[in-house]
Amino acid sequence: MNTNSVHLKISDVSKRFGDVQALHNVSLNILKGSFTTFLGPSGCGKTTMLRTIAGFYEVDQGEIYIGDRLINQVPSHKRNAIMVFQDYALFPHMNIGENIAYGLKLQKLSDHEITAKVEKTMQYLGIQGLEKRIPGQISGGQQQRVALARALIMEPEVLLLDEPLSNLDAKLRMNIRAELRQLQKRLGITTIYVTHDQGEALALSDQIAVMNKGQIVQTGSPWEIYYTPVNTFVADFVGTANLLEGTVISKDSGSLKVAIDEIELRIDEPNETLAPNDAMTVCIRPETIEILDTIQDNPINTVKGEVLNYIFEGSHIRYWIKVGTRTFMVDVFDPSEKGIYAGEIFLRFHPGKIHILREE
Ligand SMILES: Nc1ncnc2c1ncn2[C@@H]1O[C@H](COP(=O)(O)OP(=O)(O)OP(=O)(O)O)[C@@H](O)[C@H]1O
Ligand SMILES: [Mg+2]
């Protein structure tokens, strides 16, 4: 199998529990060695998707392939896809060494081989020295690594991770996030990750599949998902968005003029579908809006506003700024440079940084 070849193919998969359509015609191709994330709110079907791939649920409809092999009917332990559970699911009465060795014991490897592999894997994950303790005697972050070690030692073709970082504190989560990505790249292991944390999804993934109510709403790179969301759900779920409904005034090649209440904006984004008088919604990210103290000669896309409120976040300040009847969120990075804005100011919207959402 080459890199860039499809390693896992999910084709039109549906799964129902009673009245709940947990998965609804889900299709996705996952490349070999890539890191793919299913991202979505609680209850959207992420865990169900992962369990379906792992072989804990049978699908009602559709096919799942690993390489050329249709795995719908292949039992879980023969899929070579290993799942790490959100709560780690370590065996509480076995020590860490035994926990990690468990799968190899079942495979009847020699004690000598097992000891060598456990040692190597623990070293790899920076948890050497913990062999003799039981899970209750190590920290959450260490348990997380043990769970990962227990999966990695089996050298699975596909690694399935269900919100593995959600029980850790913010700082540790950031560190392990970076380590996990490095490890995944180093091993080149095809990884499918599930989270409701958009920051995690953006930071880790080659590909993100945004889910809502059992369906994939958008698939793309983190960049595509963040800058060109297909609808207000994705725009709002991933990052912070100023979402504004307006009307098209006129159209040129490669640019549109739109009215959002009394605000007139030029948008430099080619659009084939919209015509004058059409209603549309735009998405403007808070960090793309500029705050100016003064303006000269009425430059384009500049409006007068009033600072309503702000919060200091260290690296940036988030402002709420009133323009007519609308309130915009604006992020100003490195506040030490500009101080804190108050009272009347001007906002400038970059014509190339306003995204038109294509939904009805
Ligand atoms: N075994 C089950 N029996 C019945 N309903 C289930 C079962 N597993 C999941 N569901 C339902 O299917 C839907 C999807 O659940 P799933 O666990 O996949 O969501 P999720 O996206 O992982 O959510 P979370 O972020 O809260 O973990 C939910 O409405 C859930 O209640
Ligand atoms: Mg879940």
Side-chain angles (χ1 to χ4, degrees), residues 284-356:
I284 310 177
R285 297 295 185 189
E287 71 277 13
T288 66
I289 306 173
E290 222 180 322
I291 300 182
L292 305 167
D293 289 313
T294 53
I295 52 167
Q296 284 171 351
D297 307 330
N298 216 14
I300 64 146
N301 285 10
T302 305
V303 295
K304 194 188 277 182
E306 187 197 342
V307 176
L308 291 179
N309 196 6
Y310 73 89
I311 49 171
F312 177 60
E313 300 245 32
S315 64
H316 67 280
I317 292 180
R318 158 81 41 95
Y319 289 94
W320 282 264
I321 291 172
K322 189 167 183 287
V323 178
T325 56
R326 307 272 183 170
T327 302
F328 287 87
M329 285 176 283
V330 180
D331 288 345
V332 178
F333 279 81
D334 190 6
S336 72
E337 189 89 351
K338 292 138 197 148
I340 293 167
Y341 292 103
E344 220 168 70
I345 49 83
F346 294 89
L347 294 183
R348 180 154 68 194
F349 302 93
H350 194 298
K353 294 181 180 176
I354 305 170
H355 173 59
I356 300 165

Side-chain angles (χ1 to χ4, degrees), residues 214-231:
Q215 285 180 298
I216 294 182
V217 190
Q218 184 173 5
T219 305
S221 68
W223 187 282
E224 287 163 342
I225 298 285
Y226 188 77
Y227 286 115
T228 52
V230 290
N231 60 23

Side-chain angles (χ1 to χ4, degrees), residues 17 20 22 40-49 57 86 162-163 194 196:
F17 298 109
V20 181
S42 184
C44 73
K46 305 182 297 294
T47 296
T48 304
M49 190 66 248
Y57 293 149
Q86 180 173 344
D162 193 358
E163 311 224 19
V194 152
H196 62 268

Side-chain angles (χ1 to χ4, degrees), residues 1 6-9 53 64-71 79-81 157-158:
M1 219 183 286
V6 174
H7 194 178
L8 201 98
K9 187 177 174 65
I53 298 168
I64 302 176
Y65 294 88
I66 292 184
D68 299 329
R69 187 164 69 124
L70 178 66
I71 58 163
R79 290 191 180 193
N80 214 357
E157 263 188 81
V158 178

